[in-house]
Amino acid sequence: MTDPAAGAAPAPATGAADDQERLAALIALWWGAVDSFTRVLEHVADDQWSAPTDLPGWDVRAVAAHTAHLEALLAGRPHEDVEIGDAPHARGTMGRFTEQGVLARRDETPDDLITEIRESTTARHTQLLADPPTDASAPAPGAFGAIGWTTGLLLRNRPLDVWMHEQDVRRALAMPGNLDSAAAVHTADYLMESLPYVVGKRAQAPVGSVVRLEVAGHAPVTVAVGEDGRGRRATSDDGEPTVTLAMERETFVLLAGGRRAAAADDVRITGDAALGERVVASLGVTP
């Protein structure tokens, strides 16, 4: 269950009509991401389901089972409490919760998992079209609302989560693709919102630092560190960047998603190299 929102800028307040339009767009993004993900899973060979992914402790099958679990919950199906045993990769309450969803499906076949994802998402999609959400601030349903998520946060996170897991599978099986889809753009844009948190809190950039992030295909984000040590969106009064980080979308998503460290030539650092390297090392904002 991915939640980069803790380090992201709050979503702007909107009226009911704006909320309904924005939430409908997020539902369409999620639906497209689900379709793409299940199509990839259909092409996984029998001997590839056990291939390890970048997520500790999870192979391709576990990623599919995890997605099936969360989508089943959203469709109104119950969570199964199971013993997870010794699972050091399942950290914290959320990690244990998601691991239970994976282990509860250990006896299901790959076809079962794909079918569950499709049936759950179809049921949820039908419900959302029949009764469209209109209030982004309303509590999210079930377990998601119990951890404090709003409807807006849930619907914003689902395209990111599904697309990220499609990429986990693609990398595990050397099947690159779908890096320019609407869900890909949404994911990178969303993760870029965490830069103030990354620069100020995680990288501990000095007061007065100005950090510019350039991700190919996205508007640059520039952050300045105020007297309180917190990062905030920079203005023209903050001066030129202390350091600029430039990279491709895939590189940024790998770093911000906590999947892999960047290769030496994947990130172009201009300016204060030490600060730039510290920011790069701090970009991971998803659990």
Side-chain angles (χ1 to χ4, degrees), residues 191-237:
L191 292 171
M192 289 174 74
E193 293 178 15
S194 297
L195 190 64
Y197 165 77
V198 167
V199 170
K201 186 171 181 62
R202 300 196 63 190
Q204 295 285 296
V207 170
S209 299
V210 178
V211 178
R212 179 179 171 89
L213 173 63
E214 298 176 351
V215 176
H218 300 265
V221 175
T222 305
V223 167
V225 180
E227 293 294 333
D228 59 359
R230 294 186 176 186
R232 54 168 173 74
R233 289 296 183 109
T235 68
S236 57
D237 295 334

Side-chain angles (χ1 to χ4, degrees), residues 37-38 40-53 58-65 109-111 113-114 169 173:
F37 182 46
T38 53
V40 169
L41 293 180
E42 284 181 334
H43 290 89
V44 177
D46 291 345
D47 61 350
Q48 292 180 315
W49 288 93
S50 60
T53 71
W58 280 8
D59 55 15
V60 168
R61 191 189 183 287
V63 170
T109 68
D111 282 347
L113 295 175
I114 296 171
V169 171
L173 304 182

Side-chain angles (χ1 to χ4, degrees), residues 24-259:
L26 291 172
I27 291 166
L29 268 178
W30 159 76
W31 186 240
V34 168
D35 181 61
S36 180
F37 182 46
T38 53
R39 288 176 185 273
V40 169
L41 293 180
E42 284 181 334
H43 290 89
V44 177
D46 291 345
D47 61 350
Q48 292 180 315
W49 288 93
S50 60
T53 71
D54 289 328
L55 300 171
W58 280 8
D59 55 15
V60 168
R61 191 189 183 287
V63 170
H66 164 67
T67 305
H69 172 223
L70 295 192
E71 295 297 350
L73 293 179
L74 283 167
R77 294 166 188 165
H79 170 75
E80 296 181 54
D81 260 327
V82 298
E83 288 295 326
I84 66 172
D86 182 21
H89 59 279
R91 295 176 295 177
T93 301
M94 190 60 64
R96 291 190 293 274
F97 178 81
T98 54
E99 190 69 15
Q100 285 182 321
V102 171
L103 293 180
R105 289 160 175 77
R106 69 187 115 197
D107 295 328
E108 294 188 10
T109 68
D111 282 347
D112 290 336
L113 295 175
I114 296 171
T115 297
E116 184 179 15
I117 294 171
R118 284 198 169 135
E119 289 181 346
S120 296
T121 54
T122 297
R124 176 68 171 156
H125 188 241
T126 300
Q127 176 188 355
L128 289 168
L129 292 183
D131 185 18
T134 58
D135 183 1
S137 65
F144 298 89
I147 61 172
W149 286 18
T150 63
T151 294
L153 179 58
L154 171 64
L155 293 179
R156 202 175 184 215
N157 281 351
R158 291 313 299 147
L160 178 151
D161 197 51
V162 174
W163 181 83
M164 289 286 284
H165 288 319
E166 177 189 328
Q167 293 301 311
D168 291 329
V169 171
R170 284 181 176 277
R171 285 193 304 277
L173 304 182
M175 294 169 50
N178 199 27
L179 289 165
D180 294 320
S181 65
V185 174
H186 166 80
T187 297
D189 277 341
Y190 192 177
L191 292 171
M192 289 174 74
E193 293 178 15
S194 297
L195 190 64
Y197 165 77
V198 167
V199 170
K201 186 171 181 62
R202 300 196 63 190
Q204 295 285 296
V207 170
S209 299
V210 178
V211 178
R212 179 179 171 89
L213 173 63
E214 298 176 351
V215 176
H218 300 265
V221 175
T222 305
V223 167
V225 180
E227 293 294 333
D228 59 359
R230 294 186 176 186
R232 54 168 173 74
R233 289 296 183 109
T235 68
S236 57
D237 295 334
D238 292 308
E240 293 299 311
T242 308
V243 63
T244 297
L245 312 174
M247 64 195 80
E248 297 300 314
R249 179 182 295 144
E250 183 178 21
T251 298
F252 173 69
V253 168
L254 286 171
L255 292 169
R259 264 51 176 185

